[in-house]
Amino acid sequence: MDFLAGLNPSQRAAVEQTQGPVMIVAGAGSGKTRVITYRVAHLIQKGVDPFNILVLTFTNKAAKEMRERIMKVVGQEAKNIWMGTFHSVFARILRVEAELIGYPRNFTIYDTDDTKSLLRAILKELNLDDKLYNVNHVYGRISSAKNNLISPQEYNKNEAIMAEDIANGRGQLGQIYMTYAQRCYRAGAMDFDDLLFKTNVLLNKHPDVLYKYQHQFKYLMVDEYQDTNFSQYLIVKRLAAVNENICVVGDDAQSIYAFRGANIQNILNFQKDYPDVKVYKLEQNYRSTKMIVNAANSIIANNKNQLEKNVFSDNEDGEKIKVTRAFSDNEEGKIVAEAILQEKSLKTLNFKDFAILYRTNAQSRSMEEALRKLGVPYKLYGGTSFYQRKEIKDLIGYFRLTFNPNDEEALKRVINYPRRGIGDTTVDRIMVAADQNQLRLWDVVANAQMFLDGRSAGSVTNFGIMIQSFQAMAKTNTAFDTAMYIAQHSGILKDLYEDKSVEGLARYENIQELLNGIKEFSEREDLEEKGLDVFMQDIALLTNDDNDKDPNADTVSLMTIHASKGLEFPVVFIVGLEENLFPSQLSLNSRSELEEERRLFYVAVTRAEKKLHLSYATSRYRWGTLNNCEPSRFLDELNPSCLDLDFKPRSSAVGSEDFQSERVSWQRKETGDVFSKPKPKVVKTTSILPKAHKPTEGFAPSDTSNLQVGMEVEHERFGFGKVINLEGNKPDIKATIFFKELGQKQLLLKFAKLRIVE
């Protein structure tokens, strides 16, 4: 049986070209995994020893899936292939060769927690300020150095690096790196970055070892080559130098991990590294509709730095991409949740067919709350539920202690976070004193001078006074003012603000998002009591552990776009398409950063199989202030013929008050690395936003159980319309309504919330 018969011509050509350097440019949904696995199986069927094949991936899941597929073709021989992640494969090599570089073969591998724990100990020993030398920043700096093959010795000799550290007030980073490396060596341990760094050292210092593996690995394949960093690139290049039977597979349009050290130039320059390379392009997308593929192509065409390819689909045309405008992030969440229920009912889908993608983890809050309110089950991927994240629980711990100082779990959680000189020993003494005197922990804290002595007594006393100030603040102020005061005076905001790592920025944004939610709560007109204690009662209902424990549960998937890479869903919602959010404000400094954001949008769009929804809000809270938002420039880059606007475009003279207020950025054009202001006399009808419908005063949904064709109705967002058709049976009756401003729309009555105009 010819197992290659099911491949298209491009796929088959890539599989059968086994000699010399090969680059397979695999567009989204083009069957990349199938090509890699069939190519390996084809090599084995041609007589290549599996022990001579090295396949490098970026996830264990990908390696496992590939090996299982190969086994179906060639049987148990697939077990002998050297296949796995970069880290797992080179750890395997280091286990054999470690003694050559002074490590025992049974060396320990430190995970991230191990590394950070050791770094904290070193910072303490060197008497360095752990706020200035934030452990995440230090860890990131050392990791970056290793991925660029900069040893501790080279780091300390590099005048430019040292000058940068000194300018940032962290002149001891070189000493920390040196001490950390010495401690790891003394302990016979390597961290994750060392597995690549030490492999490079091994191959560089021991030519005989390099020769050994160059001749063992006669065929190399690298998956997701666009995601390789300098260290990975150099290892692969060295190993392939003798036979040059190297095949790299990837898509420059999906290179989205620069923040981890990935270098897109590795794939863009592959043809320069191997001038006789044979290039195969997998351009047929089997995943998505023509509409989605065409939209994705129109986005990525705006990137200048890319490999040329023409991705196409022979699938159905599919529905146009729905673009929705919301007035706030909370309304955006509500719109998305309602749309999921409506599409699920209309198209007989399951909840697991839906995914909501966003740029930052903080955006999950409004989505989670909206889904919960409508009873839509969901699962958060690549992160923790918003209210279960550590930084959120820390701040809520302060809130809990403010209103109930006898809450001992909250007290133990926050008493030394941020650090204030109340260590584990002092906490233990507080607990002993409370036990011996039959008191609550708070009683001891509030009277620390009676039970403790020295410096610890002063630190605990100051903590108690701070909590009492929070209690006084809460008695006379709104929920938001109290929450902001606690966030500031507890030190949480300062602590997170000073952490400039990727994780630190995400945590800082999450605290901001929590405060945004409290601000909105404070401004609700339907509540008489708006204190922080009332908000806490509301939150308590949301934070109960009610997640479905079944991993195969029928749930909507929520995740960042980075976490979605490699996945696919029938229906995808991409939310928060606003300037300074997506693209991120941090990405607007150069063309290369902006192009990576555009590739991220491309990845998001190509996760969708059947239907894609895009949405943005015209206002979002930031630190309690409601800010107007500009639609993302990426929306303006989409092919207009692919879009279905959830509002009616209006003709508007450029320069008019409406256009200037609502369309500041949509006409922004790129000039080199600088972005000019909107140019006059350029209007795209798909880009112009409609005037918002202002609901009738006292608007309230009517009972629509007796709705009839011909009736006039009002929708809170869509405005006034006329019912032109009703179909289906209760409770799933669908109404076709012609709205004056929007045209014809089909709505499920049970979700539509219509007011019948008498």
Side-chain angles (χ1 to χ4, degrees), residues 20 182 325 334 550 558 578 594 622 645 664 692 695 738 743:
Q182 291 169 348
R325 170 196 190 224
K334 178 183 176 184
D550 180 3
L558 273 68
E578 298 138 35
L594 179 62
R622 291 186 66 83
L645 302 185
V664 176
F738 186 84

Side-chain angles (χ1 to χ4, degrees), residues 253-254 256 287 292 296 299 357-358 560-562 564-565 567 569 572-575 577 582 597-609 612-614:
Q254 297 186 68
I256 60 173
R287 174 189 301 154
I292 292 169
I299 295 160
L357 309 182
Y358 34 78
T560 64
I561 300 167
H562 281 101
S564 75
K565 190 163 180 286
L567 303 177
F569 303 90
V572 169
F573 292 80
I574 307 173
V575 300
L577 277 160
F582 196 16
E597 285 289 293
R598 189 176 285 114
R599 292 194 294 270
L600 190 60
F601 184 37
Y602 175 85
V603 167
V605 168
T606 54
R607 298 311 93 198
E609 297 173 353
L612 177 64
H613 295 254
L614 308 176

Side-chain angles (χ1 to χ4, degrees), residues 74 366 373 387 677 696:
V74 301
S366 56
K373 286 177 181 176
Y387 290 106
K677 291 183 178 179
T696 302

Side-chain angles (χ1 to χ4, degrees), residues 631-684:
S632 169
R633 69 189 70 194
F634 295 155
L635 289 170
D636 207 28
E637 295 172 355
L638 287 160
N639 185 337
S641 67
C642 298
L643 305 180
D644 172 16
L645 302 185
D646 201 12
F647 44 79
K648 181 181 179 182
R650 68 176 187 278
S651 297
S652 176
V654 176
S656 73
E657 183 178 349
D658 285 337
F659 181 70
Q660 290 298 331
S661 65
E662 294 182 311
R663 292 285 304 114
V664 176
S665 72
W666 279 44
Q667 306 304 329
R668 188 175 283 163
K669 300 297 177 185
E670 302 172 26
T671 308
D673 286 342
V674 180
F675 299 96
S676 62
K677 291 183 178 179
K679 295 181 180 180
K681 299 181 181 178
V682 179
V683 176
K684 281 185 138 181

Side-chain angles (χ1 to χ4, degrees), residues 683-719:
V683 176
K684 281 185 138 181
T685 57
T686 57
S687 300
I688 300 173
L689 306 180
K691 290 180 179 177
H693 170 68
K694 185 176 181 180
T696 302
E697 186 175 352
F699 177 92
S702 303
D703 176 5
T704 55
S705 58
N706 295 314
L707 190 70
Q708 301 293 322
V709 172
M711 283 187 173
E712 297 281 340
V713 294
E714 180 186 9
H715 187 277
E716 202 168 8
R717 287 190 299 116
F718 304 152

